[in-house]
Amino acid sequence: MASPILFFGLLAFFFLAASASDPSPLQDFCVADTNSPVLLNGLACKDPKTVVANDFSSSGLHIAGNTSNPEGLSVASAQIPGLNTLGISLLRFDYAPWGINAPHIHPRATEILTVLEGSLEVGFVTSTPPNRLITKVLQKGDVFVFPIGLIHYQRNVGKKSAAAIAAASSQNPGFIPIANSVFGSKPDIPSDVLAKAFQVDNNVVNYIRSKF
């Protein structure tokens, strides 16, 4: 029988692994010093004596972005140096009519999205099994949560432009677009691997790959 110390040691290890996220800050704040050559898991801190109010502020998220692209999507990030090490980030999304934020993953963050204008179809897919699609149409003022690490998407289902604000539980959530990652990786994933995975022939794989 394992000793109590070993048991509780293993229990603590699995708890920490399961609850892993951005590390907790060790001071009131760590305003990012973007000019520092030091490489960290995050950014180096400015001298606290030089910090000013503008380090904790951003503007411009009221301005609609340019959605003239194939996806009909614009993404703007709030650039706030004071968010460094605090484990949160903020984004604005603008969608042309029927524009999409294509299926993607944030490997390091849960996302919470609030609709500012328009109607958005949102959804995420649960892990295997059963790969269940959980989806809903949101209206102005509605809020939706995308759990960490799950494939999710948004689509404007209205006749007018739509906009949303999203917060993520990491200063660097990571972004893995599914189609681009699978068909646009460098170097390529072997065509026969993708052909077997998607149960199509190599010509189909090569055609899709040419789009990325």
Side-chain angles (χ1 to χ4, degrees), residues 93-122:
F93 300 101
D94 289 282
Y95 312 81
W98 296 104
I100 64 166
N101 190 359
H104 61 278
I105 293 171
H106 301 302
R108 294 182 290 274
T110 291
E111 177 183 345
I112 183 166
L113 179 140
T114 303
V115 178
L116 301 178
E117 295 290 344
S119 301
L120 288 180
E121 174 192 326
V122 299

Side-chain angles (χ1 to χ4, degrees), residues 82-168:
L83 287 182
N84 187 41
T85 77
L86 296 184
I88 193 169
S89 53
L90 189 67
L91 300 165
R92 173 181 172 128
F93 300 101
D94 289 282
Y95 312 81
W98 296 104
I100 64 166
N101 190 359
H104 61 278
I105 293 171
H106 301 302
R108 294 182 290 274
T110 291
E111 177 183 345
I112 183 166
L113 179 140
T114 303
V115 178
L116 301 178
E117 295 290 344
S119 301
L120 288 180
E121 174 192 326
V122 299
F124 65 85
V125 180
T126 64
S127 56
T128 305
N131 297 128
R132 179 184 171 204
L133 174 62
I134 296 178
T135 184
K136 182 179 176 68
V137 174
L138 306 180
Q139 307 297 336
K140 181 178 179 179
D142 290 346
V143 178
F144 196 81
V145 173
F146 303 103
I148 185 171
L150 297 185
I151 296 174
H152 60 284
Y153 73 95
Q154 302 108 40
R155 175 171 64 161
N156 181 1
V157 292
K159 296 181 180 180
K160 299 180 179 179
S161 296
I165 289 284

Side-chain angles (χ1 to χ4, degrees), residues 28-50:
D28 290 343
F29 50 77
C30 173
V31 174
D33 180 358
T34 57
N35 296 317
S36 173
V38 178
L39 299 178
L40 299 170
N41 190 20
L43 295 172
C45 307
K46 288 176 62 174
D47 184 339
K49 295 189 292 294
T50 68

